[in-house]
Amino acid sequence: MQIQRIQSVYIFLSIVAMAIFLVVPYGQAELLTETPSVFEPLYTMSEYGILIPTGATVILLLVDLFLYRNMPLQRTVLVVSLMITLATAATVCFTLLGVARTEGMDAHFSVWDILLPAAALFEILGIKGIMHDIKLLNSYNRLR
């Protein structure tokens, strides 16, 4: 019997996407009071409300990558990291759309914001792969 570990690839791709999101700007802010338009990039490293959940997700995904022997625990950790990733995406949207406008800035999304939904998609595919392996092992246990 061989268990296909495609979910390890998905978890690794999610780690890469979240690690890249840590260092790239997640948006641009334009001050509305100044006449010449000055776009200031907004970085994850300077916003603690986005940095902490993103860092926690990267750490959880790294731990999750090595939990391949305990699939129910791996699935649980992956679901928790998915929830944190979705909360990070909501925080980015709230920061760009809500907080920036109240501070007199016009905020725009960055191209790099696609990394958050991509990481969430890879995490969902990883959960699906883990569930497939659990069903496969249960079917082999029934045959014994």
Side-chain angles (χ1 to χ4, degrees):
M1 174 184 75
Q2 177 183 357
I3 297 176
Q4 301 297 323
R5 299 301 300 175
I6 189 68
Q7 61 265 27
S8 297
V9 174
Y10 292 140
I11 293 170
F12 179 73
L13 290 173
S14 182
I15 291 170
V16 169
M18 292 301 284
I20 291 172
F21 183 75
L22 271 172
V23 296
V24 297
Y26 66 89
Q28 295 178 349
E30 175 186 9
L31 291 175
L32 296 175
T33 58
E34 296 185 19
T35 307
S37 296
V38 177
F39 288 101
E40 179 182 330
L42 302 170
Y43 287 97
T44 306
M45 293 293 189
S46 63
E47 190 72 37
Y48 291 120
I50 299 171
L51 174 66
I52 292 171
T54 305
T57 303
V58 170
I59 291 170
L60 278 175
L61 288 171
L62 279 171
V63 168
D64 195 38
L65 191 61
F66 296 104
L67 289 175
Y68 57 87
R69 290 183 187 256
N70 190 353
M71 283 187 277
L73 180 63
Q74 186 182 30
R75 182 185 64 211
T76 303
V77 172
L78 197 54
V79 167
V80 169
S81 67
L82 175 64
M83 298 289 185
I84 296 173
T85 302
L86 294 176
T88 304
T91 305
V92 166
C93 291
F94 176 73
T95 302
L96 288 176
L97 298 178
V99 175
R101 292 183 194 248
T102 60
E103 293 179 1
M105 292 187 268
D106 188 24
H108 303 284
F109 288 98
S110 172
V111 175
W112 298 105
D113 287 336
I114 196 72
L115 291 173
L116 287 174
L121 177 70
F122 289 136
E123 290 169 1
I124 290 170
L125 290 173
I127 292 169
K128 185 178 175 186
I130 292 170
M131 293 303 297
H132 179 266
D133 282 352
I134 289 173
K135 287 180 183 177
L136 183 67
L137 283 176
N138 288 338
S139 71
Y140 282 132
N141 286 337
R142 279 193 302 267
L143 293 175
R144 282 193 228 171

